[in-house]
Amino acid sequence: MSDMQAVRLQELAEELGLDVVGAAPASAYEETERHIRERQARGLFADMRFTMARPEVSCHPEELLEGARTVVSAALCYWRDGEKPPPGHGRLPRYTWFDAYSQLRERLDELGRRLGGRYRVLVDANQHVDREAAARSGVGFYGKNTMLITRRFGSWVVLGTLVTDVELEPTPPLDADCGSCTLCIEACPTGALDEPGVLDATRCLSYWTQAGSAIPEEYREPLGDQVYGCDICQDVCPWNRGVEKRRAGLEPPPGAEPHVSLVDWLEASDEELAERYDRLFVPKNDPRYLRRNALVALGNSGGDPELARRYAASDDPLLREHAEWALARLESA
């Protein structure tokens, strides 16, 4: 017999401001572990680490806490309306506009305290595959774009997990899927989703904005004015329609950034960039990769060629290469 019924868990979630919550037994994700290993072997993860680095850990929530009985999955919607970038600015993906992960972490910690017993909170952590827990507990389902899709908020959510030794009534998986829709596959400009439900990171624009190497030339123009991440497959998803009505009137928190000044990114000091954007994953925490992205956006958006010209004379081969590419585009426009 479960110690807590699902209805009480839902009540607690509403009190704490969690948008979706579900529970599943703490057991191994055997199929997910197999998929990760197969995709590793195919090279689809490129050099990404995250939860794919050690599936023997991230796919075993039953080993993340002594006496673990339940995995509670929670989703927090981060969608906010935002203005389009003005000239000379680069776009950021919605999940980076503010730190929704910290909000989710705090609320899950409070949920753990209210449930009682011992617990462990994992949010944006490499030790656990949050999407699998969310799919098992009915928080959402896997979309063809590999995102976790919820009924009310689509994929505009951050996910987190609470592993507890308290037994909770399981919530069933969602009876929903993408059906015959292929809009995300068709919209991806680089074919990263050509195999539905499988992401080829070596062709993903979001991956290349976070990679620790030069962005291949064939992927620079498709980036447009994006300086980090990519929302294309989410923007076209039918499950994501209507979220603007559900979140109407909900303003972004103070300091939220839908877009950034390219001049600012290219002229700020290393220390400034590192401190202001510590919420972003940047290879080796090196701000030069943010500048690399800004140079590509500069070339695509028709910015000031003088900035590109300055970096084209740089001693840094990475920045010099991207600046020369940007300058060539700006001078030929």
Side-chain angles (χ1 to χ4, degrees):
M1 180 67 179
S2 300
D3 293 332
M4 178 180 288
Q5 297 301 302
V7 64
R8 179 55 184 152
L9 178 62
Q10 298 295 332
E11 291 171 352
L12 282 175
E14 290 180 15
E15 291 174 17
L16 296 173
L18 296 169
D19 291 314
V20 194
V21 71
S27 58
Y29 307 153
E30 294 179 357
E31 187 174 5
T32 300
E33 184 173 5
R34 178 173 59 81
H35 285 162
I36 289 175
R37 295 192 186 282
E38 287 176 352
R39 294 170 194 182
Q40 279 178 334
R42 292 171 60 189
L44 296 179
F45 296 140
D47 63 354
M48 290 194 302
R49 305 288 293 169
F50 309 118
T51 58
M52 298 84 73
R54 299 179 62 202
E56 68 275 11
V57 173
S58 62
C59 294
H60 290 271
E62 76 282 6
E63 297 180 6
L64 293 175
L65 177 77
E66 185 178 353
R69 301 176 76 181
T70 306
V71 175
V72 179
S73 179
L76 188 66
C77 180
Y78 60 79
W79 194 94
R80 300 291 190 276
D81 198 7
E83 61 182 13
K84 292 183 178 180
H89 281 233
R91 285 184 295 136
L92 291 172
R94 273 192 165 85
Y95 82 93
T96 68
W97 291 7
F98 64 96
D99 190 359
Y101 282 117
S102 64
Q103 295 180 5
L104 179 58
R105 190 175 291 109
E106 291 172 2
R107 295 173 192 184
L108 276 174
D109 190 56
E110 178 60 25
L111 177 62
R113 287 195 290 268
R114 295 199 188 187
L115 290 176
R118 293 183 300 111
Y119 66 91
R120 182 176 179 184
V121 172
L122 298 115
V123 174
D124 195 25
N126 295 341
Q127 297 93 336
H128 181 252
V129 183
D130 289 329
R131 274 181 288 183
E132 179 60 22
R136 289 187 175 213
S137 61
V139 167
F141 65 90
Y142 285 109
K144 289 180 182 176
N145 61 359
T146 76
M147 306 290 286
L148 194 285
I149 299 176
T150 67
R151 278 196 187 278
R152 286 184 53 78
F153 306 103
S155 59
W156 300 118
V157 294
V158 290
L159 299 172
T161 304
L162 172 73
V163 182
T164 175
D165 62 1
V166 175
E167 185 176 356
L168 305 179
E169 179 185 16
T171 49
L174 283 185
D175 183 18
D177 56 37
C178 295
S180 60
C181 179
T182 56
L183 288 177
C184 62
I185 297 170
E186 296 160 14
C188 179
T190 59
L193 298 169
D194 283 355
E195 185 178 342
V198 177
L199 174 69
D200 183 350
T202 66
R203 293 192 282 173
C204 176
L205 294 180
S206 182
Y207 164 75
W208 283 112
T209 65
Q210 301 172 61
S213 60
I215 299 172
E217 283 200 38
E218 63 267 32
Y219 298 139
R220 295 176 191 175
E221 186 175 349
L223 274 168
D225 62 355
Q226 295 168 184
V227 291
Y228 192 87
C230 178
D231 279 340
I232 291 173
C233 65
Q234 298 195 85
D235 287 334
V236 301
C237 179
W239 282 96
N240 286 344
R241 294 172 189 163
V243 69
E244 65 278 1
K245 296 178 182 177
R246 299 185 185 99
R247 312 301 277 186
L250 194 59
E251 295 294 326
E257 283 187 302
H259 50 78
V260 297
S261 165
L262 298 179
V263 171
D264 185 32
W265 272 30
L266 291 169
E267 293 190 339
S269 69
D270 284 356
E271 293 74 18
E272 286 179 283
L273 282 180
E275 182 178 351
R276 283 163 49 197
Y277 297 100
D278 61 352
R279 68 184 185 277
L280 305 182
F281 172 80
V282 179
K284 301 178 182 178
N285 295 317
D286 189 341
R288 63 202 284 265
Y289 294 108
L290 297 180
R291 293 196 182 90
R292 172 202 61 189
N293 298 348
L295 287 166
V296 171
L298 185 73
N300 285 328
S301 59
D304 183 0
E306 185 54 40
L307 273 172
R309 197 169 289 117
R310 188 190 316 165
Y311 273 92
S314 170
D315 292 334
D316 185 321
L318 176 77
L319 297 179
R320 184 172 64 246
E321 176 191 343
H322 290 78
E324 289 172 347
W325 179 88
L327 188 59
R329 282 182 62 79
L330 291 170
E331 292 180 341
S332 64

